[in-house]
Amino acid sequence: MSEHDTATHEAAVSTDVHDDPVGLLQDLIRFETVNPPGDEKACIDWIGELLDAYGLEYDTYAQDPDRPNLFSTVSGGDGPPLLLYGHVDVVPVTGQDWTHDPFEAVIEDGHVWGRGALDMKSGVAMFLATFLRLAAEDEQPPGDVHLLVVSDEEGGGDDGLGYLVEEHPELFTDIDHAIGEFGGYDLELAGVETYPIQVNEKQVCWLEATFRGNSGHASFPHEGTAMGKMSSFVETVDSQRLPVHITPAAEQMFEALADAVPPEQAEQFEALLDPDQTDGVLDAMETETKMFDALLHNTANPTIVDGGDKENVVPEEVTVFLDCRLVPGQKPEDVMAELRAVTGQDPEFEVVRFDSGPPSADLDTFEELGAILEAETGGVPIPLLMAGATDGRHLAQVDVQSYGFIPMQLDDLPFLELVHSGDERVPVDAVEWGTERVYEAVQSYAQ
Ligand SMILES: [Zn+2]
């Protein structure tokens, strides 16, 4: 089931919303695009109306008619095309404490408050404002600029970017580079002001591990049961690391950090990249341990257990669901072998999902984007390997390198604590500042 609409429109209506990214952000937050179910259509339609007003054509693509994705282009010069992309769905607000209604987009204390203020309607507002400004200006950008606004990032992208790269790969044929989430904001790492720009991410690998063993009536003693095997497996996975992997992505990131910090700390980052020392250094670290740990190992977290359906029957079979995240370059068979080795057990593994990514990143545009932030702030740009998954992994399937670049100066606002949490908010100044930086990025791309 697929729907593809082409909208063509008459001459431009003069308008100036591109000068007001904060207003755009407020409007975006007021669409309740909580995923599930997402219901992004009204929000996407509204973006379409703005494009109409600027005389821009656009196409929508939808697997689910209530969850469209929008693609549009501002024509540029002979330079290579650049993609600006973002998602308009947001995570739920249930069970969270909010000072203001999360869908009212109140401005108070110099901040816009609401769900999506950081993740990532502020980014969409910056991209949209930049895109409309390019359309309104007499002068063309150096190359074509594409805007892609998608649904369903928070649900894995099956109705969003995952669907587009699968069913409409032609959209991406000429595109090498894209700007999206995650990064571009100030983050203190090891006491230094850094600006992480995501260039690579770990690969999602969901496994089911099935254990079989002695079964029978629960009134007798049993050894070697599926339940026992599963629990000892989980116990080991819970308490031990899998082997260290020093990938090119981790090297790029930690070398950049080592260059940015004082010599004593630099030694620590260099030692992290020596596999004989990695785990010892992580254990000795006081902060950022978990984040760095995840970037240097495959991980496996048991999340669902399924086994037994009768109180007095010892089950023959028990299955545990493992959310594994693999460092770039690793495959499902690799983590299965590691799990067998560390636990000494040999369950039957089944791969439920594997979102493979490229082993290393193309850093060409990282340098350009980093230079923009460094010139403005003096902070240190870092090519970030991300532990979590973003839509960037879908773009990798069509050979588009994504850079996480939602430029913001947040100062003391704790980004990682507010994303997906109550009282998510963003400084008004940060949205305006970031929009200028995105515009600069477009103008300097491949120049
Ligand atoms: Zn996001």
Side-chain angles (χ1 to χ4, degrees):
M1 196 173 66
S2 170
E3 179 196 318
H4 176 197
D5 292 328
T6 299
T8 46
H9 299 279
E10 298 302 311
V13 176
S14 121
T15 175
D16 55 8
V17 292
H18 64 273
D19 281 336
D20 185 18
V22 174
L24 289 173
L25 170 60
Q26 288 179 288
D27 287 335
L28 286 165
I29 289 173
R30 289 173 187 143
F31 291 96
E32 289 197 28
T33 48
V34 172
N35 186 7
D39 258 337
E40 297 92 342
K41 188 171 189 309
C43 184
I44 296 282
D45 286 350
W46 172 78
I47 292 172
E49 285 165 25
L50 292 179
L51 299 182
D52 281 347
Y54 279 74
L56 287 160
E57 293 182 11
Y58 61 92
D59 297 307
T60 57
Y61 303 85
Q63 175 162 253
D64 172 344
D66 293 329
R67 317 196 67 184
N69 305 282
L70 177 150
F71 190 90
S72 182
T73 302
V74 169
S75 300
D78 298 337
L82 178 65
L83 173 66
L84 307 177
Y85 78 106
H87 65 90
V88 290
D89 61 315
V90 294
V91 295
V93 296
T94 32
Q96 299 175 347
D97 283 335
W98 284 84
T99 307
H100 302 287
D101 183 319
F103 301 103
E104 245 180 57
V106 170
I107 294 184
E108 195 178 277
D109 299 333
H111 292 75
V112 182
W113 299 63
R115 173 55 81 231
L118 293 169
D119 183 10
M120 68 165 285
K121 286 178 169 173
S122 45
V124 172
M126 291 177 197
F127 297 159
L128 187 54
T130 299
F131 190 75
L132 295 175
R133 176 175 169 187
L134 294 169
E137 285 177 339
D138 293 334
E139 203 162 319
Q140 283 194 324
D144 286 355
V145 177
H146 304 293
L147 176 73
L148 173 61
V149 185
V150 298
S151 298
D152 197 30
E153 192 269 351
E154 300 289 0
D158 291 346
D159 282 324
L161 246 170
Y163 157 74
L164 289 177
V165 302
E166 197 67 35
E167 300 298 328
H168 295 284
E170 73 281 358
L171 291 174
F172 308 99
T173 314
D174 299 328
I175 303 172
D176 290 330
H177 298 138
I179 291 177
E181 58 180 357
F182 167 104
Y185 68 92
D186 50 325
L187 178 69
E188 194 183 293
L189 283 175
V192 173
E193 184 182 62
T194 70
Y195 281 82
I197 295 174
Q198 183 191 325
V199 295
N200 211 328
E201 63 188 58
K202 289 184 79 182
Q203 310 166 92
V204 176
C205 175
W206 288 348
L207 299 180
E208 273 180 1
T210 299
F211 298 83
R212 295 194 176 80
N214 294 325
S215 60
H217 200 286
S219 59
F220 298 108
H222 296 274
E223 278 178 22
T225 62
M227 219 39 110
K229 290 176 185 173
M230 179 277 293
S231 64
S232 102
F233 178 93
V234 168
E235 160 93 47
T236 307
V237 169
D238 184 62
S239 58
Q240 292 194 36
R241 287 187 178 103
L242 296 176
V244 173
H245 294 284
I246 307 298
T247 59
E251 273 173 347
Q252 286 166 344
M253 176 172 158
F254 290 110
E255 280 166 8
L257 276 171
D259 285 346
V261 297
E264 336 62 271
Q265 280 168 299
E267 265 173 45
Q268 199 181 33
F269 286 119
E270 280 150 18
L272 263 187
L273 296 174
D274 169 3
D276 292 335
Q277 298 187 62
T278 304
D279 288 348
V281 176
L282 286 171
D283 290 338
M285 275 187 162
E286 278 166 21
T287 54
E288 289 118 14
T289 315
K290 275 191 182 170
M291 175 184 163
F292 293 163
D293 194 327
L295 305 181
L296 297 162
H297 303 85
N298 295 329
T299 57
N301 275 300
T303 52
I304 303 170
V305 172
D306 183 18
D309 53 10
K310 184 83 175 76
E311 292 82 353
N312 60 355
V313 176
V314 175
E316 199 176 309
E317 202 174 282
V318 177
T319 296
V320 59
F321 192 99
L322 298 162
D323 183 347
C324 302
R325 304 300 175 103
L326 312 188
V327 297
Q330 289 271 297
K331 298 273 177 281
E333 309 79 68
D334 300 321
V335 74
M336 290 177 203
E338 291 181 350
L339 288 166
R340 285 192 197 100
V342 73
T343 63
Q345 294 207 52
D346 191 17
E348 185 184 314
F349 285 111
E350 190 187 331
V351 181
V352 178
R353 172 171 197 150
F354 178 52
D355 297 342
S356 74
S360 63
D362 159 2
L363 291 192
D364 291 355
T365 300
F366 164 79
E367 304 292 343
E368 290 172 30
L369 299 174
I372 291 172
L373 297 176
E374 200 168 4
E376 281 282 324
T377 69
V380 184
I382 302 289
L384 180 74
L385 167 61
M386 173 91 164
T390 72
D391 269 345
R393 73 195 192 283
H394 296 301
L395 284 177
Q397 303 303 316
V398 285
D399 295 324
V400 175
Q401 169 69 53
S402 176
Y403 299 94
F405 188 75
I406 313 288
M408 292 190 270
Q409 287 187 293
L410 298 175
D411 299 320
D412 293 332
L413 201 68
F415 184 100
L416 296 174
E417 284 167 36
L418 291 175
V419 166
H420 293 202
S421 303
D423 279 349
E424 183 178 354
R425 59 193 185 274
V426 65
V428 166
D429 295 348
V431 178
E432 287 164 351
W433 183 83
T435 306
E436 287 300 314
R437 305 290 83 76
V438 170
Y439 180 81
E440 283 172 26
V442 171
Q443 295 296 351
S444 67
Y445 174 57
Q447 292 304 291

